[in-house]
Amino acid sequence: MKATFDGGTFKGMLAASTDWLEKIVPDINALNVYPVPDGDTGTNMLMTMRASLESVATDSNGSVSSFISAVDKGALMGARGNSGVILSQIFHGVARTLKKAKVVDAHSLAQALQSAADTAYSALSDPEEGTILTVIREAATAANKAAKSCDATATSVLAAATDAARTSVINTPNLLPVLKEAGVVDAGGHGLFTILEGALLYIKEKSNGRAPELLCNQKPLLAPKPEPSQDEDYYGFCTQFMIKGDNLSVKKIRSVLENMGQSLIVVGDASLVRVHIHCQNPEAITHCASSFGAVTDTNICSMDEQHQDFLLMKKTSLTTAVIVVCNGAGLVNAFADLGATAILPGGQTMNPSTMDILNAIERVDSDSIIILPNNKNVVTTARLAQTLTKKQVCVIPTKTIPQGIAAMIEFMAEADYETNVNQMAENYHSARSIEITRSTRDARINGLEICSGQIIALLDGQLMAAGESPVDVILTLLETLDIAECSVVTIYYGKDASEPEATAIIEKILTSWPHLSAGYENGGQPEYMYILSIE
Amino acid sequence: MTVAIVTDTIPCIEQELIDEFDINLVPIHMVINGKEYQDQISLTPDEFWKLYPDMEDYSTSTPPIAEYLEIFERLSKTTRDIACIFVSKSLSATAEVAMQARQLFLKDHPDVNIAIIDSRTAAGAQAFILLEMARAAKAGKSLDEVTAIANDMIPRVKYITALEGLKRLIKIGRAPKTAYIGELFQVKPLIGQVNNTGVVENLGRGRGTEKTMLKMAELMESYVDRTTPVHITIHYTNSVEDGLKLKDLITSRFNVVETHFTPYSPVICLAIGPSTSVAFYS
């Protein structure tokens, strides 16, 4: 047992925690309250951890204070999604306590964890129990209790915090009914536990040959865990995608892909398989995978290059620049045509980091910027980026694509910044959003019994209907709305949808509600078959 | 001997008013799928919309000098004073060609006075200037007085138009520089001339017919108080119903003392496609 941790120990713990987390990322992603293929908590936390790791790579000082300040900065700049932002605040809290430390003993480690909990809570306007917040708070409480023991060491405090985090994660469904109903634990909390566990195993030198534990009774994606990779230094492209088809064999897919890269994870069932692999040639992988079924939701990112680039649409000097986050060629074009200055690729399955957003802010040729996140997870990251620039930035908290379009329609290049902000903020709520996708697993939510592969519909982010066909669920959901008050319905069809089906949906809508104007656009979005904007 | 009034076919005023005030029209020309038409003369709005679905190749052109000369010649037989009001110079060369025609005409008719006025606007807004000039002429005002009335009206008249898209305006080079081409379903660009700049201005966008009309009314309210007496012209294209909806909305919101309701002429429909418009002054 180590009585104290020095900077080198912390550095090893951070690397080990990141590796440990990476092994369970697909499972954490799958811990979604809604069975939609958009779970990204694990990915967001991993990206944030990697950003921290990258930040400390150049730190050769060896002291805890130098290490922790590099971690703090890296996490802050690399934070993605809600979970990433909270994780960055946890690191920030630790850094505040340890900023002058050369080594860390039991007492100061407990204090740092307490500071982490306090900082994470204070970062949120409406902290919710049953989440990562509860997990860090209970871990800190346990750490403080352990630190009071006369034979306390830094290791014993970390072990107590990890144990408490584990218990806390398992208890999250008792605090948050929506988790209980979905049969899952909180994904962010689980990620934090895995990070603590990875650090503890590094200290105890017990991680070799093991895989992280999934703290969930109902494993969302039933599949054997992959063996730990023998080559963790491998770099190239982190390639993730789904295969949709009939009678898919996880075993067969794994056997075909296992020689094509490292860190292979293949999980799923006969109709939907999720693949994660590190490789040098992503195209060869997806081409090979396409022999099994339809390859969708492809997400390829360079592991050498943390920051996504963005599409700069307008290069001339502007009074007000608008940065939009969205995915899908059609939606990108729509926002560009409506006057967006820069488009950051991202959405449900790939949240841009704080650094990505900050990079876009700094590069657009304007000092007054409006950001349309178009996703609830990106709102938090965008707000964090807002605090890191000297430019005037307003985040209009659009949580869906229809809200983003509604805001963008109000934008006028010749209007002043304040007018644009007011007009866009006032009007983005006017659009209601229905998103259609397939359930990735069996679930029971909002009184709905949902089977894996079934079509499900989310109304403004809430799962409200399930059925056998997109048109059925759309009509069911529209019947619950006050359509008499609406005038325009626009359908953005995505990657796994078709124009003829979109036309058929429109005909059905117009038969039921002839007063509406209904039309479609090719959104090309990867996550949802259809996104409906109801105004 | 009264001042004769000449204009182009852009104001789109009612035939009864043309007859009542003896207004002389120089029609703008159009070439559609290789065939040339004179606006409102050889192509009516109804005929235009029948051609519209198959309209692949189209362009507009100013009236030939001969048509101006013919009108000046005819009018000079009964009057020595002619007042012309044309669509904004930045939108059409109609006024420029008229000046060349005047130069030619005056060589042979040095005793005739021809005033050529750039309305700096178009459509219903131009029509309000035209009507005030015609009323003054009919009341026996001099050419100078008619011209002064026009110059007084020019900065007061405005119009706001909702389009289906900007592609047609871009094709003919009349789109506002800052407007975006986006043609998303039911996203309606709003254009107009409200700041007396002479050029078409970008006034934002609306979503769906009803909300766009509400936005037009809100925009109008930034120039005219609800209680102030206001003169309006509603123009429509292929949907009389939409025109009527806009008319009802505007008359219910403002203290309207004069209303005109006419279809856009084919040349405007050609330039901007399906649209509704409100022109006004107070």
Side-chain angles (χ1 to χ4, degrees):
Chain A
M1 280 215 183
K2 282 181 184 281
T4 59
F5 298 156
D6 60 14
T9 309
F10 267 116
K11 208 166 179 174
M13 284 158 66
L14 183 71
S17 290
T18 306
D19 286 348
W20 196 241
L21 179 66
E22 185 173 358
K23 289 177 183 179
I24 202 171
V25 159
D27 286 329
I28 291 181
N29 282 346
L31 289 175
N32 232 6
V33 169
Y34 294 149
V36 295
D38 66 353
D40 52 8
T41 302
T43 305
N44 285 335
M45 294 182 86
L46 180 64
M47 291 294 172
T48 309
M49 290 291 284
R50 279 189 183 159
S52 303
L53 204 53
E54 195 175 73
S55 179
V56 300
T58 51
D59 174 53
S60 55
N61 182 298
S63 73
V64 171
S65 60
S66 170
F67 163 82
I68 203 70
S69 104
V71 168
D72 183 20
K73 192 176 170 200
L76 186 71
M77 301 307 279
R80 287 168 198 249
N82 279 332
S83 50
V85 169
I86 297 172
L87 185 59
S88 75
Q89 294 306 301
I90 287 171
F91 284 139
H92 187 55
V94 171
R96 285 203 324 205
T97 301
L98 302 182
K99 62 186 172 190
K100 291 181 181 168
K102 285 184 181 158
V103 291
V104 173
D105 61 11
H107 184 65
S108 55
L109 180 61
Q111 269 188 329
L113 288 170
Q114 188 59 54
S115 169
D118 294 345
T119 309
Y121 268 85
S122 63
L124 295 181
S125 56
D126 188 17
E128 193 169 27
E129 293 299 335
T131 65
I132 184 171
L133 294 175
T134 311
V135 177
I136 184 64
R137 179 172 53 76
E138 293 183 343
T141 304
N144 276 291
K145 193 175 170 193
K148 285 176 184 155
S149 163
C150 54
D151 56 352
T153 62
T155 303
S156 70
V157 167
L158 179 62
T162 307
D163 274 352
R166 185 178 186 282
T167 308
S168 184
V169 170
I170 293 167
N171 193 44
T172 53
N174 296 324
L175 299 174
L176 207 51
V178 72
L179 296 174
K180 191 168 221 168
E181 196 181 4
V184 295
V185 295
D186 179 69
H190 198 309
L192 179 64
F193 157 69
T194 304
I195 289 165
L196 290 169
E197 189 186 40
L200 184 64
L201 290 171
Y202 170 79
I203 299 294
K204 292 183 169 178
E205 297 174 357
K206 283 185 177 173
S207 63
N208 287 345
R210 287 182 55 188
E213 178 187 11
L214 182 65
L215 305 174
C216 189
N217 293 333
Q218 181 194 326
K219 193 173 174 186
L221 291 165
L222 298 171
K225 285 194 190 308
E227 289 302 311
S229 168
Q230 298 303 307
D231 182 8
E232 293 298 334
D233 294 330
Y234 185 86
Y235 269 70
F237 296 94
C238 175
T239 306
Q240 296 183 64
F241 53 88
M242 314 266 267
I243 306 173
K244 291 179 182 175
D246 298 320
N247 302 318
L248 294 174
S249 163
V250 168
K251 198 174 169 185
K252 194 172 174 190
I253 294 169
R254 188 181 296 117
S255 71
V256 170
L257 298 181
E258 65 190 354
N259 294 325
M260 299 179 76
Q262 280 74 37
S263 301
L264 177 68
I265 298 171
V266 183
V267 291
D269 54 30
S271 63
L272 185 69
V273 168
R274 188 195 291 268
V275 177
H276 165 284
I277 189 167
H278 294 173
C279 62
Q280 291 290 4
N281 189 350
E283 280 179 15
I285 301 276
T286 51
H287 179 73
C288 181
S290 66
S291 63
F292 295 104
V295 174
T296 67
D297 299 86
T298 307
N299 187 353
I300 299 166
C301 64
S302 166
M303 292 154 67
D304 313 292
E305 200 174 307
Q306 287 283 313
H307 305 131
Q308 301 173 37
D309 203 353
F310 61 94
L311 302 171
L312 196 61
M313 299 293 168
K314 310 277 183 299
K315 289 184 176 167
T316 50
S317 186
L318 300 155
T319 310
T320 303
V322 183
I323 297 170
V324 173
V325 181
C326 76
N327 260 338
L331 293 176
V332 167
N333 286 336
F335 277 108
D337 282 351
L338 290 170
T341 316
I343 311 275
L344 264 168
Q348 283 294 88
T349 48
M350 184 74 178
N351 294 160
S353 70
T354 314
M355 178 57 100
D356 295 328
I357 297 174
L358 187 61
N359 192 23
I361 290 171
E362 299 301 343
R363 279 178 57 190
V364 293
D365 193 6
S366 173
D367 289 332
S368 300
I369 289 153
I370 292 170
I371 301 177
L372 300 179
N374 300 335
N375 183 285
K376 64 180 190 309
N377 281 340
V378 182
V379 171
T380 324
T381 324
R383 285 192 168 137
L384 190 56
Q386 181 185 20
T387 64
L388 300 171
T389 178
K390 287 179 180 168
K391 290 188 177 183
Q392 183 177 29
V393 175
C394 176
V395 179
I396 310 275
T398 53
K399 291 178 183 163
T400 62
I401 290 293
Q403 285 187 346
I405 296 273
M408 201 66 223
I409 284 171
E410 297 298 322
F411 175 70
M412 274 180 70
E414 57 273 78
D416 61 43
Y417 180 70
E418 200 178 329
T419 304
N420 273 320
V421 165
N422 290 340
Q423 283 292 110
M424 292 167 85
E426 203 175 291
N427 285 290
Y428 79 89
H429 278 303
S430 64
R432 303 208 62 186
S433 164
I434 293 177
E435 293 154 320
I436 306 295
T437 187
R438 277 185 193 279
S439 172
T440 53
R441 60 179 162 85
D442 295 345
R444 188 160 51 83
I445 293 162
N446 289 349
L448 297 166
E449 292 287 346
I450 296 159
C451 303
S452 177
Q454 211 174 11
I455 300 289
I456 51 176
L458 292 89
L459 174 65
D460 297 330
Q462 299 294 312
L463 205 161
M464 300 296 281
E468 297 312 311
S469 73
V471 68
D472 289 345
V473 289
I474 287 169
L475 292 177
T476 304
L477 212 45
L478 287 175
E479 274 161 16
T480 66
L481 300 178
D482 190 4
I483 294 290
E485 293 299 309
C486 302
S487 56
V488 181
V489 171
T490 311
I491 299 180
Y492 301 94
Y493 63 91
K495 216 171 158 189
D496 298 324
S498 70
E499 191 173 345
E501 191 179 41
T503 310
I505 293 169
I506 284 166
E507 281 170 11
K508 292 263 188 185
I509 291 173
L510 289 174
T511 304
S512 299
W513 298 281
H515 76 282
L516 288 174
S517 293
Y520 62 81
E521 302 281 348
N522 182 358
Q525 67 275 4
E527 302 96 350
Y528 293 106
M529 301 165 77
Y530 297 99
I531 297 174
L532 276 77
S533 165
I534 302 119
E535 293 163 78
Chain B
M1 194 170 60
T2 57
V3 175
I5 302 294
V6 177
T7 189
D8 48 41
T9 45
I10 299 297
C12 313
I13 63 169
E14 298 92 328
Q15 187 59 47
E16 303 83 67
L17 293 172
I18 294 173
D19 296 340
E20 181 185 344
F21 293 107
D22 201 14
I23 294 167
N24 301 277
L25 296 181
V26 191
I28 311 260
H29 286 227
M30 293 166 282
V31 179
I32 299 171
N33 295 342
K35 189 175 174 187
E36 187 165 7
Y37 299 90
Q38 279 183 301
D39 191 26
Q40 294 182 26
I41 305 289
S42 56
L43 192 65
T44 64
D46 286 346
E47 289 164 347
F48 173 85
W49 288 109
K50 282 180 194 153
L51 288 177
Y52 189 75
D54 303 317
M55 212 174 275
E56 287 167 4
D57 183 32
Y58 58 87
S59 60
T60 62
S61 69
T62 57
I65 284 186
E67 291 185 15
Y68 294 91
L69 291 175
E70 191 186 316
I71 287 178
F72 293 158
E73 188 71 46
R74 177 166 52 79
L75 295 175
S76 66
K77 292 189 167 60
T78 54
T79 183
R80 282 173 51 207
D81 296 320
I82 301 170
C84 309
I85 174 91
F86 292 116
V87 63
S88 176
K89 270 187 191 171
S90 65
L91 300 179
S92 167
T94 308
E96 294 288 349
V97 179
M99 285 177 191
Q100 292 168 27
R102 175 175 65 179
Q103 205 173 355
L104 280 175
F105 184 77
L106 292 183
K107 281 181 186 165
D108 298 329
H109 304 82
D111 56 335
V112 176
N113 303 303
I114 303 175
I116 293 175
I117 301 161
D118 172 11
S119 70
R120 299 175 63 78
T121 187
Q126 181 186 340
F128 283 130
I129 309 168
L130 169 70
L131 281 175
E132 287 306 300
M133 290 167 67
R135 283 174 183 136
K138 197 173 182 183
K141 303 281 185 192
S142 68
L143 182 59
D144 284 349
E145 287 171 317
V146 170
T147 306
I149 284 167
N151 289 332
D152 173 61
M153 285 293 287
I154 287 169
R156 294 165 62 194
V157 297
K158 302 172 197 307
Y159 73 88
I160 298 163
T161 302
L163 309 175
E164 295 289 307
L166 283 167
K167 280 186 181 158
R168 300 183 81 84
L169 265 186
I170 289 165
K171 178 177 159 68
I172 61 165
R174 306 290 192 278
K177 296 277 183 290
T178 51
Y180 295 103
I181 192 170
E183 293 213 340
L184 271 185
F185 178 69
Q186 286 289 343
V187 174
K188 295 174 182 285
L190 291 167
I191 57 161
Q193 292 187 278
V194 291
N195 293 311
N196 192 29
T197 55
V199 298
V200 176
E201 297 155 46
N202 174 24
L203 301 178
R205 288 179 283 244
R207 188 76 189 254
T209 305
E210 282 76 15
K211 284 182 184 166
T212 302
M213 287 182 184
L214 279 174
K215 197 161 181 178
M216 292 167 84
E218 284 164 13
L219 272 168
M220 185 172 153
E221 211 170 318
S222 57
Y223 300 99
V224 186
D225 192 80
R226 283 193 188 201
T227 56
T228 307
V230 64
H231 306 250
I232 65 162
T233 295
I234 304 293
H235 293 301
Y236 56 91
T237 54
N238 54 345
S239 170
V240 186
E241 295 75 26
D242 283 353
L244 289 169
K245 272 188 211 167
L246 182 61
K247 180 172 161 251
D248 290 346
L249 176 69
I250 300 295
T251 48
S252 70
R253 278 205 173 202
F254 293 90
N255 178 15
V256 177
V257 292
E258 181 186 6
T259 307
H260 301 277
F261 185 74
T262 65
Y264 262 147
S265 68
V267 76
I268 298 183
C269 298
L270 190 77
I272 65 176
S275 52
T276 47
S277 179
V278 55
F280 57 96
Y281 79 96
S282 58

